[in-house]
Amino acid sequence: MSLNFKLQCHFILILLTALRGESRYLEVQEVTDYDPFLLFGANLKRDLAEEQPYRRALRCLDMLSLPGQFTFTADRPQLNCAVFFIGEPEEFITIHYDLVSIDCQGGDFLKVFDGWILKGEKFPSSQDHPLPTMKRYTDFCESGLTRRSIRSSQNVAMVFFRVHEPGNGFTLTIKTDPNLFPCNVISQSPSGRFTLVVPHQYQNCSFSIIYPVVIRVSDLTLGHWHDRQLKKPTAGCGGTGDFVELLGGTGLDPSKMMPLADLCFPFHGSAQMKISCDNAVVRMVSSGKHINRVTFEYRQLEPFELETSNGNSIPEFCLSSL
């Protein structure tokens, strides 16, 4: 079995497990058999580039990486459904209600969540998001069409819903807007290059990669210190207040991942680490006193690289989950 296929199956399993009731808000009894990762393909985006706007029907469990207009119509009672939206790293997602026909009094609901929530874990984590968890939900049955458009704080958002009566449903238009200083990101791709900038803001920002990867940090500016040092996570970065940490784990929430290494001091050069976990995160902690910047590259690990652990690789606890 190829590594890519294993990872796709693993992520779908996380989706299904989350939606079967281990999350407070999501619970699914049956879903359509399909592969949501197909929507991440570059070929799909290329094929649809000339179709404006892109339109299609939504499934009970769905994942979308394209703007467009999407309609869900129940053909039978659909009690536990969710749609996950993901944009490019430098994009916000706006969800606009075009038409909603559900019976709120009869137990239907339609809610937008600012971020993703899977198996009880959130991205961004509560530590990294500017709003408390409950304020990240927008409930159509409470607000109605007085709030027709909801914009995410990062490149991911989700909608979950329940529709009892066949023929009822809703239509959404999904748009993206540029985000000049993306803070929290889930990468669509298993490889790439990114610069995370936090300009004089007291906040934490996480870049999440849902693959085992090699991460190479090539530039780090923290606005203080002038030395390079890669510390073990047990040592931490003391009272610097501004640092970058590398995290690894099997879930979605960075606050529940294992800290693997801390970068406490600015440098120009290269610091590389292999993270064999299902999910790897580059997280910047900022005091708000400086302009902090980190540039890094990442690529998915090959199968033979997952079979060995050497150099400055992460311990084998991550390997056991693959």
Side-chain angles (χ1 to χ4, degrees):
M1 183 183 296
S2 71
L3 174 61
N4 190 47
F5 179 75
K6 286 173 64 179
L7 289 170
Q8 292 177 11
C9 291
H10 171 77
F11 190 63
I12 295 170
L13 180 61
I14 291 177
L15 289 176
L16 298 182
T17 302
L19 297 171
R20 281 176 183 153
E22 296 189 40
S23 165
R24 175 182 174 186
Y25 299 97
L26 300 179
E27 190 177 356
V28 156
Q29 296 173 347
E30 58 178 293
V31 295
T32 305
D33 182 19
Y34 79 105
D35 182 358
F37 266 79
L38 293 177
L39 293 169
F40 283 175
N43 290 335
L44 175 64
K45 290 190 175 184
R46 213 165 29 241
D47 294 342
L48 298 174
E50 297 181 359
E51 297 185 22
Q52 297 294 335
Y54 172 52
R55 293 184 176 91
R56 78 160 173 83
L58 289 174
R59 306 172 180 93
C60 177
L61 179 65
D62 218 331
M63 182 177 287
L64 295 166
S65 60
L66 290 166
Q69 188 177 66
F70 306 96
T71 299
F72 178 82
T73 304
D75 57 356
R76 63 183 187 278
Q78 297 282 10
L79 305 183
N80 304 281
C81 302
V83 182
F84 297 82
F85 300 99
I86 183 168
E88 296 297 333
E90 301 88 355
E91 291 178 339
F92 294 115
I93 295 172
T94 297
I95 299 172
H96 180 80
Y97 296 130
D98 295 321
L99 175 67
V100 180
S101 177
I102 63 174
D103 183 7
C104 294
Q105 298 300 317
D108 292 357
F109 62 76
L110 175 62
K111 300 181 181 182
V112 175
F113 182 70
D114 188 6
W116 280 3
I117 181 167
L118 300 170
K119 204 176 179 180
E121 296 195 7
K122 302 178 291 294
F123 184 91
S125 70
S126 298
Q127 296 179 6
D128 294 350
H129 199 279
L131 296 175
T133 298
M134 293 311 300
K135 289 190 176 181
R136 294 167 66 177
Y137 291 89
T138 302
D139 189 341
F140 172 82
C141 288
E142 293 180 358
S143 63
L145 292 176
T146 58
R147 189 177 179 187
R148 297 186 70 111
S149 295
I150 301 104
R151 193 173 81 164
S152 69
S153 303
Q154 60 288 309
N155 78 320
V156 292
M158 65 177 291
V159 171
F160 54 101
F161 55 94
R162 174 176 296 167
V163 181
H164 288 84
E165 186 69 24
N168 283 354
F170 54 88
T171 297
L172 305 174
T173 293
I174 306 302
K175 297 181 179 179
T176 58
D177 299 302
N179 182 357
L180 298 181
F181 295 102
C183 179
N184 294 298
V185 174
I186 292 181
S187 175
Q188 294 189 35
S189 170
S191 62
R193 177 184 174 90
F194 192 75
T195 297
L196 186 62
V197 180
V198 183
H200 291 292
Q201 294 177 334
Y202 178 59
Q203 65 183 112
N204 305 322
C205 298
S206 295
F207 188 98
S208 177
I209 311 158
I210 311 178
Y211 300 90
V213 291
V214 171
I215 294 177
R216 184 175 69 88
V217 179
S218 58
D219 186 83
L220 178 60
T221 302
L222 292 174
H224 64 84
W225 307 103
H226 298 283
D227 193 8
R228 169 184 169 183
Q229 186 172 346
L230 178 63
K231 289 189 176 183
K232 295 181 180 179
T234 53
C237 289
T240 60
D242 298 86
F243 61 94
V244 168
E245 56 183 351
L246 304 181
L247 310 172
T250 58
L252 190 67
D253 193 326
S255 69
K256 298 181 180 180
M257 294 183 183
M258 179 171 289
L260 304 173
D262 291 339
L263 287 165
C264 308
F265 305 104
F267 70 87
H268 301 277
S270 178
Q272 179 171 298
M273 181 160 282
K274 182 174 85 172
I275 303 180
S276 303
C277 304
D278 295 341
N279 196 358
V281 168
V282 178
R283 183 171 183 264
M284 176 174 283
V285 178
S286 297
S287 65
K289 300 176 181 178
H290 311 284
I291 298 176
N292 296 325
R293 178 187 295 106
V294 59
T295 298
F296 55 93
E297 298 176 5
Y298 56 98
R299 67 166 179 83
Q300 184 176 350
L301 289 171
E302 300 294 339
F304 71 89
E305 294 178 289
L306 290 170
E307 298 172 0
T308 60
S309 179
N310 51 47
N312 59 356
S313 300
I314 301 309
E316 287 78 357
F317 83 93
C318 286
L319 297 176
S320 63
S321 62
L322 294 174

